[in-house]
């Protein structure tokens, strides 16, 4: 019997690789480098594949799918998002799509807490002062590099899914006073919201979220409705002592409005893991000139254990797709 | 009746200033600038003072105390440490000393968690990559900028006082597995250590702390015994995936040994709020060349609310000293 061909666009972690290599009746074609797979390599090797395992950076479009041929049964994506995959093209051919949405909750929630503290306590500004050799010339005074304390804060969540809830659980022992959240169904109580150990309320309007929060955490999906939902008006309503955190998708926040709000001291600071037009952020980007803004290169899920789990889950989804079995997480096309 | 003279070496926060100004029978002489008080100004005005309120940056030595004269009843220091005050000189004259050790626990514990996450998740390195304009040229791969996850970690505390315990409480919902601690009385169980929600054990040796911990948090006082307690041997015993956090005093850690451990990949990363010879850290300091090291300019207690509380407490201690009443926190000379 001919072995089924699978194409893997990356080197995988050791455990995930073993899981794949243990399946002896597969013909595995794998991109040999640590760097992203060349598109020409993918197109060359896709032909005849029954399964393809791709990363967020590999466009799995009509061309790739058509090149593979009619025997293609499954695309397994090592990612939460699936925008890089032509889902209608898969659906029309009855090709299954696997993805990895669940394993990164903890890693992203950890990073969210880190960004809250960095924004409040001026961590970026303080680090840069030391790196630039300014510490010896900073005369100590009681309010040097001080920022608001998290104890007693009202934390507002724009979107209240798994990651937001995991973040709230972590923030409770810091002594926060209250959590409020707004979802796509304003006022509807999220089932899982009970028992966080602080008063947690679903609120009815985005204005209330902006006005009442000392910390705003943006964790909603990017949709037509949420694009630029954090705009100049939202920022103008925020407290001068409040911070804005974005761990969702860049375009949920209007970057120009945020830059101007920071510039004018309308808000205290910002912590961002994502930004519009990433990764094309040059050193002269206006937001990088704001000392109270911490910008990270989208490393929310970049924890070793998480990425290992995502790799294993991708391989399991791939194998399940080949064998007609249930995936760990299958995308409903 | 002549008003009692008090000398205040700084501008205070509004609430603390009001507390002072409300006492009408005082002659308040206050340094007028936001910058540290000149020593010559302090010596000039100390003469005849019954009380002096000083900062960590003001040396309150024999000269100042003798200059003030025999009517001096109290020195109130706006600080936790009292090394800047000549305590024997006060004791021999029966002058009382107030300080502010309790109000900063939460602020420092918050910052400690931030440093743990920054060290594990490579926050400093990631921030600097973005600032330097490298993001557009960083090809994404599954293990780009990944670091160890806090979930499942054993957290080891060198010193287990108020701040360490407050830090542990905050770390529990991140899913840590176990806490271990070593105090100046190895093996002795700290009373307050019950009920953190994770197994918490007093261990018997510093070797065990170094070997078993995924996160080492240094929070012990600086003494002759603890100077360089984190040395090359300690660092060599640590796991390659472990991080070292110092929020205590710089000389508890041997900087050269730490630099070399990071350089050779003996440990994963470090998060420091303090360092030997601070604040004289120049831009070419060897540790600043280590991308996995986050160094902050001693901002542990730099939260607005905390510093306001410290200011109020200093004024209360000053007034209590003048009136022969109980201080909020009196240093036992």
């Amino acid at each position: 019997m001919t072995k089924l061909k699978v194409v893997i666009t990356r080197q995988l972690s050791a455990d995930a690789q073993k899981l794949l290599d243990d399946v002896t009746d597969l013909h595995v074609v794998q991109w040999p480098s640590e760097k992203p797979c060349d598109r020409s390599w993918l197109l060359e090797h896709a032909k005849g594949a029954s399964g393809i395992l791709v990363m967020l950076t590999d466009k799995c479009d009509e061309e790739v799918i058509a090149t593979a041929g009619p025997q293609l049964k499954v695309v397994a994506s090592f990612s939460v998002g699936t925008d890089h995959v032509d889902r209608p093209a898969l659906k029309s051919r009855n090709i299954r799509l696997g993805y990895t949405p669940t394993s990164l909750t903890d890693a992203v929630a950890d990073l969210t807490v880190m960004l809250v503290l960095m924004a409040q306590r001026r961590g970026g500004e303080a680090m840069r002062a030391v790196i630039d050799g300014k510490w010896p010339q900073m005369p100590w005074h009681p309010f040097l590099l001080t920022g608001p304390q998290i104890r007693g804060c009202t934390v507002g969540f724009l979107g209240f899914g798994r990651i937001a809830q995991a973040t709230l659980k972590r923030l409770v022992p810091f002594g926060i006073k209250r959590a409020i959240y707004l979802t796509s169904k304003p006022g509807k109580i999220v089932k899982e919201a009970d028992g966080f150990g602080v008063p947690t309320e679903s609120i009815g309007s985005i204005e209330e979220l902006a006005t009442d929060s000392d910390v705003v955490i943006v964790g909603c999906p990017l949709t037509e409705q949420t694009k630029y939902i954090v705009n100049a008006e939202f920022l103008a309503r925020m407290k001068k002592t409040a911070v804005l955190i974005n761990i969702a998708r860049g375009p949920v926040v209007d970057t120009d409005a945020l830059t101007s709000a920071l510039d004018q001291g309308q808000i205290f600071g910002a912590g961002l893991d994502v930004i519009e037009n990433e990764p094309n952020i040059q050193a002269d980007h206006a937001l990088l000139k704001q000392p109270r803004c911490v910008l990270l290169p989208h490393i929310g899920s970049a924890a070793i254990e998480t990425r290992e789990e995502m790799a294993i889950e991708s391989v399991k989804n791939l194998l399940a797709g080949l064998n007609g079995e249930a995936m760990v997480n299958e995308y409903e096309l």
Side-chain angles (χ1 to χ4, degrees), chain A:
Chain A
M1 203 182 104
T2 320
K3 289 182 175 184
L4 291 182
K5 179 180 181 181
V6 292
V7 176
I8 316 287
T9 65
R10 282 298 162 101
Q11 296 296 299
L12 300 171
S13 59
D15 286 352
Q17 191 69 46
K18 186 172 183 314
L19 195 64
L20 186 67
D21 294 344
D22 283 352
V23 186
T24 51
D25 59 352
L26 287 182
H27 169 47
V28 177
V29 178
Q30 192 162 6
W31 171 249
S33 151
E34 277 269 307
K35 289 182 187 168
C37 170
D38 287 341
R39 180 158 177 89
S40 59
W41 182 93
L42 177 57
L43 283 169
E44 184 189 333
H45 292 89
K47 197 172 158 52
S50 295
I52 305 179
L53 192 157
V54 294
M55 307 286 129
L56 199 61
T57 36
D58 305 314
K59 223 173 172 182
C60 187
D61 54 10
E62 173 64 32
E63 188 183 9
V64 171
I65 296 162
T67 302
Q71 78 296 330
L72 184 63
K73 291 175 79 174
V74 55
V75 171
S77 183
F78 180 113
S79 65
V80 183
T82 56
D83 294 339
H84 57 300
V85 179
D86 186 338
R87 294 175 303 233
L90 294 186
K91 190 179 165 77
S92 69
R93 290 171 170 88
N94 277 321
I95 298 168
R96 292 169 71 192
L97 174 60
Y99 70 138
T100 59
T102 45
S103 44
L104 49 61
T105 304
D106 282 343
V108 183
D110 294 348
L111 199 95
T112 308
V113 174
M114 180 179 115
L115 281 173
V116 171
L117 295 168
M118 287 290 285
Q120 289 195 313
R121 298 295 298 276
R122 300 167 67 175
E125 191 181 355
M127 256 187 68
R128 286 166 82 162
V130 174
I131 290 168
D132 293 346
K134 291 181 185 162
W135 196 358
Q137 285 79 47
M138 286 195 301
W140 191 87
H141 65 87
F143 292 93
L144 176 70
L145 282 172
T146 49
Q149 201 159 340
I150 185 135
R151 188 181 63 198
C153 280
T154 292
V155 181
F157 293 91
L158 199 52
F160 199 57
R162 272 189 296 260
I163 293 169
Q165 294 178 39
T167 301
L168 174 53
K169 276 179 198 157
R170 285 158 172 74
L171 289 177
V172 170
F174 288 83
I176 63 168
K177 189 176 70 179
R178 179 177 170 236
I180 54 181
Y181 62 90
L182 183 70
T183 69
S184 53
K185 290 165 188 155
K188 197 182 167 200
I189 292 164
V190 172
K191 227 185 194 167
E192 301 85 334
D194 300 329
F196 285 103
V198 282
T200 303
E201 286 167 61
S202 170
I203 56 165
S205 76
I206 191 155
E207 291 79 12
E208 202 180 335
L209 191 93
T211 310
D212 284 12
S213 303
D214 300 298
V215 177
V216 171
I217 297 176
V218 179
C220 57
L222 175 62
T223 65
E224 272 178 39
Q225 284 73 43
T226 63
K227 187 175 178 187
Y228 287 167
I229 197 169
V230 175
N231 55 18
E233 196 193 331
F234 183 98
L235 292 159
R237 284 183 197 276
M238 281 177 67
K239 300 180 188 179
K240 280 193 191 333
T241 51
V243 296
L244 177 79
I245 310 303
N246 187 5
I247 50 114
R249 285 292 178 267
V252 176
V253 175
D254 178 342
T255 309
D256 291 343
L258 175 59
T259 307
S260 146
L262 285 164
D263 210 41
Q264 294 166 33
Q266 283 185 342
I267 67 171
F268 189 83
L272 312 174
D273 188 39
V274 291
I275 185 168
E276 283 185 279
N277 304 320
E278 67 177 62
N280 296 314
I281 305 300
Q282 307 296 334
D284 63 354
H285 192 283
L287 212 43
L288 294 178
K289 294 187 177 66
Q290 292 298 328
R292 298 278 184 85
C293 181
V294 171
L295 175 60
L296 296 176
H298 206 152
I299 57 170
S301 69
I304 296 164
E305 295 83 346
T306 295
R307 292 285 168 84
E308 283 172 351
E309 280 171 33
M310 288 170 77
I312 288 173
E313 199 175 311
S314 307
V315 172
K316 285 185 178 169
N317 287 341
L318 180 77
L319 299 177
L322 294 175
N323 300 329
E325 293 166 0
M327 293 185 178
V328 185
N329 281 292
E330 179 159 3
Y331 192 94
E332 296 296 329
L333 291 164

